[in-house]
Amino acid sequence: MKETLQIAIDGPAGAGKSSVAKALAKRLGCIYLDTGAMYRAVTWFAMQEQVSLEDSAAMEALLEKIQLEFKEEPGGQHLYCNGVDITEAIRTTEISANVSAVAMLPSVREAMVAQQQKIAADCDVLMDGRDIGTTVLPDARYKFFLTASLEERARRRCLELQQKGIAVDLEQMKRDIALRDEKDSKRAVSPLVQAADAERIDTSDMTLEEVVEKLFAKIAK
Ligand code: DC
């Protein structure tokens, strides 16, 4: 098997993972895989098909029917679910509120992790998520765990949504993120946890460029 470059970036919601990962992957010339988007896509599809998350047989049948594809387009990466562009649709607060419940289902994790590992077997990748360093790519050459204070993470998420014209309340966002952190950290399968060999970086007082530079310097070295 060809040896590929694998970089894992994990951390809680709003720590800046995806912006850092996108910029860093571009600079390194490797593929960027947003694994959170995959769990969001399953959530979107389940809601679309009106499948109850508690119905495990129906969820398993749903996984058989879902075909996810990332495509590089002029404005950035887009995610398609069975041919439908769901890039924007998976970022709503409704999806954010339900995705943790989907991401804790063992059948969903098994299917998504298998797809992620398949991609990493063939090309150089940088993946961001919650379990990349611990479960998806345990042998990744570089592992980072990005964190930031709850206040700062909520502020960043609010700003992101406001830029898209979506009005949000900072205090509500703090509560939503704290709840999601708790669910992601306490689930039985692949909880959000720092890999023992990952480097922890607190980005609370850093700009996006500073974080990218720091990670790039470590990899280039
Ligand atoms: O990074 P994000 O907010 O788009 O992630 C959406 C949800 O998916 C989040 O609640 C945690 C979950 N997730 C996961 O369990 N494992 C991953 N590798 C990535 C995301």
Side-chain angles (χ1 to χ4, degrees):
M1 197 169 71
K2 156 172 151 346
E3 196 181 330
T4 57
L5 174 67
Q6 299 180 341
I7 302 167
I9 300 185
D10 290 300
K17 298 183 303 292
S18 62
S19 310
V20 168
K22 264 181 224 159
L24 191 60
K26 197 169 172 193
R27 211 158 148 186
L28 293 166
C30 60
I31 284 180
Y32 163 55
L33 193 71
D34 177 353
T35 63
M38 297 171 73
Y39 292 98
R40 285 173 180 271
V42 177
T43 309
W44 177 85
F45 195 43
M47 289 168 92
Q48 200 74 8
E49 300 278 302
Q50 298 181 341
V51 168
S52 157
L53 307 181
E54 277 89 55
D55 185 344
S56 52
M59 281 305 289
E60 278 177 38
L62 189 89
L63 289 166
E64 296 284 320
K65 288 198 288 178
I66 190 167
Q67 178 87 37
L68 298 180
E69 196 183 356
F70 286 96
K71 283 190 195 166
E72 293 302 330
E73 296 185 3
Q77 198 176 64
H78 280 235
L79 177 57
Y80 288 79
C81 175
N82 298 340
V84 179
D85 186 346
I86 56 164
T87 314
E88 292 296 327
I90 58 169
R91 301 290 159 194
T92 61
T93 44
E94 198 186 6
I95 297 286
S96 298
N98 288 288
V99 63
S100 290
V102 172
M104 68 172 66
L105 299 174
S107 59
V108 172
R109 298 210 72 84
E110 203 179 300
M112 294 302 115
V113 170
Q115 284 192 30
Q116 292 153 10
Q117 290 176 333
K118 193 160 171 256
I119 293 168
D122 300 326
C123 36
D124 295 344
V125 285
L126 189 160
M127 283 190 202
D128 78 349
R130 305 293 190 284
D131 60 338
I132 310 303
T134 52
T135 308
V136 182
L137 305 176
D139 299 324
R141 191 135 109 227
Y142 301 97
K143 295 184 186 179
F144 301 101
F145 192 86
L146 301 190
T147 62
S149 65
L150 177 63
E151 179 83 29
E152 179 58 20
R153 291 189 287 126
R155 198 190 63 79
R156 290 178 189 168
R157 274 282 151 108
C158 282
L159 203 68
E160 218 175 278
L161 290 170
Q162 277 161 6
Q163 279 164 355
K164 289 182 187 159
I166 304 168
V168 270
D169 176 64
L170 181 65
E171 290 308 313
Q172 182 62 45
M173 181 60 83
K174 274 207 275 193
R175 286 194 290 276
D176 290 352
I177 290 190
L179 186 69
R180 200 135 67 89
D181 283 353
E182 183 172 314
K183 282 189 198 158
D184 291 342
S185 307
K186 291 194 175 152
R187 67 171 176 238
V189 191
S190 294
L192 163 66
V193 58
Q194 182 179 343
D197 53 351
E199 181 168 350
R200 191 180 188 91
I201 298 172
D202 187 333
T203 70
S204 303
D205 299 317
M206 295 171 81
T207 63
L208 167 65
E209 291 73 25
E210 284 170 340
V211 183
V212 173
E213 193 53 50
K214 185 168 180 147
L215 267 53
F216 182 77
K218 286 180 186 293
I219 295 165
K221 198 166 72 179

